[in-house]
Amino acid sequence: MEMSHDKEQYIYTSNHLQDTEALAAWLADVAIPGTVIGLDGDLGAGKTAFSQLFAKHLGVKGIVNSPTFTIIKEYEGRLPFYHMDVYRLSMDEADELGLDEYFYGEGVCLVEWSQIISELLPEPHLHLFMETTGIDERKITIRGFGSPYEDWCCNLNKNGVFKS
Amino acid sequence: MSEHKIEEQPCYILAIETSCDETAVAIVKDGHVVMSNLIASQIETHKAFGGVVPEVASRKHVENITLMLDEAVTASGIKMTDLSAIAVTQGPGLVGALLVGVVAAKSLSVALAKPLIGTHHIAGHIYANRLVGEIHYPCMVLVVSGGHTELVYMKQEGQFEVIGRTRDDAVGEAYDKVARSLGFPYPGGPHVDKMALESEESIVLPRAWLEPGSYDFSFSGLKSAVLNVINQRKMRGDDMNPAAIARGFQESVVEVLVTKAIRAVKAYDVKQLLLCGGVAANRGLRAELSRQCDKEGIDLSIPPFEYCTDNAAMIGAAAYLKWREQYFTSLDMKADPQLSLEAWGSNSID
């Protein structure tokens, strides 16, 4: 029955990297053990930049670089941070990698190119879709699926974070 | 030289490398003489997917490994019982792929009652240089591959200090993504190199120098700049000329890599610069680095192509450091996808 109603989607307009950082910081602040965030967008949309800012605000020290080659990179912040990039995988291959241990673990998962493995993501999750609208401008579409992600979106909205 | 004093008997290390998309087995004598070096290239399988596919890789490793072990021993002309130790890539890499090599190495270690040496993949790439000549310490290493872009300072043998690394994409990854966006076939990196060398025209793209004095690298801005050029031309309906974009991209990458490596060589006052990793096969990079080192009077070591890409001979060369120390790995060793180079060098892996 959850499947039958349309999930509300919110649009976050980022005029420069600082705006993206504000969103990343807000999400890093509310993240709890087991948080799963899917992150999609074309090459160059700013997924890795968003991930780095999110990691910084989650308290990860040092460099967070691209996990494309190794698929998963683990870091220690306020909570364990699992940075994934499934660009090189198919659904079947991802299934055999045992990602559930991360998704249902004690840390925070941020999955770049998550739509490739959409069926493997836990039903409750937050999804961000980034689009390039100018050199520095980005449109970020945010959808919350289940608890607590729908509430996060509501709270972001109430705080006047969404610009349209 | 000095190793003869320590080791009267020849040391034969059987080395296994399965950290990514190659199943490789080699036998290396005394850390620098390659007795056999076999690579079951899976590149044909991967072409269909447009990249390295980890699951396919793990399954392929399992199918390949026992046959490869047999063949490597046969090709070397020595007997299994002549082996001194079994070395294997412990990390970094894809955990499923690493595990295949680790399990094979442990089994062989137990069956033959020979010590096990867990080895760092990047130390392997670095010591690929030992397969072609002596390394003169202190030295600086420029590591360039699909997953790594690092400057490593080595004060002495086996001691590693990473002084610079990529803050976002690795150089090989940037090559692959740019190749994809230009519609080049897999493997994209060599194709960009080829187009760049053939093109007369070049589109100037930005260089990411980062803050003054930094030895870190960043390639995601350059990747975005390439995408902007492609999109703008598409929107205007202009001709694309992918070769000119490839050349502009390669010139930006090479200039930054070469400039930072040479600055590091001077700042650390080292005796030698080593190049290694899969992107060390890039002809544009080799040529420009050689030219600049000639000009500056820097001793440059570059392994031949077959030792630049993933192989097991390099793992045998790096493992020999631990053989000389008689520092072996216990059988409960775990494959470690995030293994630290510094920790491996100083025998402080927990």
Side-chain angles (χ1 to χ4, degrees):
Chain A
M1 49 183 206
E2 301 95 308
M3 307 299 286
S4 63
H5 67 84
D6 263 2
K7 306 290 175 191
E8 253 187 292
Q9 67 176 40
Y10 299 87
I11 309 289
Y12 183 81
T13 308
S14 170
N15 290 316
H16 33 68
L17 199 60
Q18 289 95 310
D19 287 347
T20 304
E21 176 155 16
L23 177 66
W26 193 91
L27 291 172
D29 215 41
V30 296
I32 51 171
T35 293
V36 176
I37 302 175
L39 182 57
D40 284 272
D42 287 337
L43 275 179
K47 296 183 294 301
T48 299
F50 179 89
S51 305
Q52 290 170 332
L53 294 166
F54 181 87
K56 177 179 131 189
H57 287 280
L58 197 67
V60 173
K61 304 273 181 263
I63 290 176
V64 172
N65 51 25
S66 168
T68 302
F69 185 76
T70 46
I71 316 293
I72 303 161
K73 286 192 174 175
E74 301 179 20
Y75 301 91
E76 280 304 319
R78 172 172 71 80
L79 296 167
F81 176 53
Y82 307 126
H83 187 201
M84 305 182 191
D85 183 334
V86 294
Y87 182 72
R88 302 195 288 134
L89 297 177
S90 71
M91 187 86 75
D92 288 348
E93 290 146 9
D95 199 16
E96 290 186 24
L97 275 182
L99 298 177
D100 279 1
E101 288 191 34
Y102 292 98
F103 293 152
Y104 298 97
E106 289 303 297
V108 177
C109 295
L110 188 63
V111 189
E112 297 192 29
W113 299 95
S114 71
Q115 279 174 355
I116 295 172
I117 59 156
S118 54
E119 287 170 32
L120 299 178
L121 292 178
E123 208 171 295
H125 70 273
L126 190 75
H127 186 259
L128 309 183
F129 186 80
M130 300 183 74
E131 288 166 273
T132 308
T133 46
I135 297 289
D136 293 320
E137 296 84 9
R138 296 292 184 270
K139 176 183 164 191
I140 306 175
T141 306
I142 306 175
R143 302 193 335 150
F145 297 90
S147 176
Y149 307 101
E150 286 169 13
D151 292 343
W152 290 7
C153 288
C154 267
N155 289 338
L156 270 166
N157 199 28
K158 276 188 213 149
N159 294 340
V161 172
F162 294 112
K163 308 221 169 117
S164 57
Chain B
M1 291 209 325
S2 61
E3 55 241 49
H4 287 292
K5 278 181 228 152
I6 301 165
E7 278 308 312
E8 294 293 333
Q9 299 290 320
C11 162
Y12 294 109
I13 294 179
L14 181 146
I16 302 171
E17 152 68 36
T18 61
S19 70
C20 189
D21 61 338
E22 302 287 5
T23 315
V25 181
I27 293 176
V28 179
K29 181 186 171 191
D30 296 336
H32 66 103
V33 182
V34 180
M35 310 287 292
S36 62
N37 185 33
L38 300 181
I39 300 167
S41 185
Q42 297 161 20
I43 213 148
E44 282 303 318
T45 322
H46 287 150
K47 261 185 196 164
F49 297 92
V52 176
V53 182
E55 195 277 326
V56 172
S58 323
R59 186 153 27 102
K60 277 284 175 193
H61 288 308
V62 173
E63 287 168 10
N64 290 337
I65 191 76
T66 45
L67 191 67
M68 300 279 296
L69 286 168
D70 258 352
E71 298 249 328
V73 173
T74 309
S76 73
I78 64 160
K79 299 192 294 292
M80 279 270 189
T81 47
D82 295 334
L83 292 171
S84 313
I86 312 298
V88 64
T89 304
Q90 182 178 358
L94 309 171
V95 73
L98 288 166
L99 272 172
V100 179
V102 165
V103 169
K106 286 179 179 177
S107 312
L108 210 53
S109 165
V110 171
L112 298 171
K114 303 290 181 185
L116 180 70
I117 305 176
T119 306
H120 194 283
H121 181 72
I122 297 303
H125 275 301
I126 294 171
Y127 276 85
N129 283 282
R130 183 64 190 89
L131 301 172
V132 290
E134 290 280 349
I135 295 173
H136 304 289
Y137 304 96
C139 67
M140 189 61 65
V141 194
L142 177 61
V143 185
V144 281
S145 71
H148 298 268
T149 306
E150 281 156 25
L151 271 168
V152 182
Y153 170 59
M154 295 186 65
K155 197 174 176 185
Q156 59 193 52
E157 181 180 279
Q159 189 184 321
F160 308 91
E161 186 192 340
V162 180
I163 62 162
R165 68 184 79 215
T166 182
R167 293 185 185 170
D168 37 61
D169 298 353
V171 63
E173 176 187 341
Y175 264 93
D176 276 345
K177 287 183 175 169
V178 164
R180 249 197 197 206
S181 59
L182 290 172
F184 291 168
Y186 179 83
H191 201 83
V192 171
D193 186 25
K194 184 169 173 280
M195 297 302 272
L197 294 175
E198 286 172 4
S199 176
E200 309 233 318
E201 197 195 324
S202 178
I203 289 167
V204 177
L205 292 163
R207 273 76 171 141
W209 297 111
L210 305 174
E211 57 278 8
S214 174
Y215 293 113
D216 282 348
F217 300 96
S218 169
F219 296 106
S220 78
L222 176 59
K223 177 186 72 191
S224 301
V226 168
L227 294 168
N228 282 338
V229 169
I230 295 172
N231 289 335
Q232 279 166 13
R233 301 212 163 188
K234 265 189 200 151
M235 276 195 285
R236 285 199 239 114
D238 289 355
D239 273 353
M240 184 72 86
N241 195 356
I245 298 175
R247 178 161 168 193
F249 168 76
Q250 175 135 314
E251 282 173 348
S252 169
V253 168
V254 168
E255 185 181 336
V256 172
L257 289 174
V258 170
T259 305
K260 292 207 177 204
I262 289 187
R263 183 154 53 79
V265 164
K266 290 180 179 170
Y268 283 76
D269 195 23
V270 296
K271 292 191 175 132
Q272 199 176 29
L273 174 62
L274 315 180
L275 181 66
C276 69
V279 182
N282 180 290
R283 289 178 295 161
L285 175 60
R286 291 165 85 105
E288 182 59 16
L289 196 58
S290 302
R291 206 173 67 81
Q292 290 298 329
C293 284
D294 274 354
K295 205 171 106 189
E296 302 281 349
I298 297 165
D299 179 8
L300 173 68
S301 169
I302 306 180
F305 289 111
E306 69 262 36
Y307 298 140
C308 287
T309 46
D310 288 353
N311 66 87
M314 68 183 200
I315 299 302
Y320 186 64
L321 304 176
K322 303 299 176 190
W323 170 262
R324 297 223 303 189
E325 294 174 38
Q326 292 286 295
Y327 183 86
F328 301 122
T329 311
S330 80
L331 282 171
D332 61 2
M333 175 262 270
K334 288 194 185 77
D336 183 352
Q338 335 277 342
L339 189 66
S340 144
L341 179 60
E342 280 111 334
W344 181 79
S346 60
N347 299 335
S348 51
I349 299 165
D350 35 68

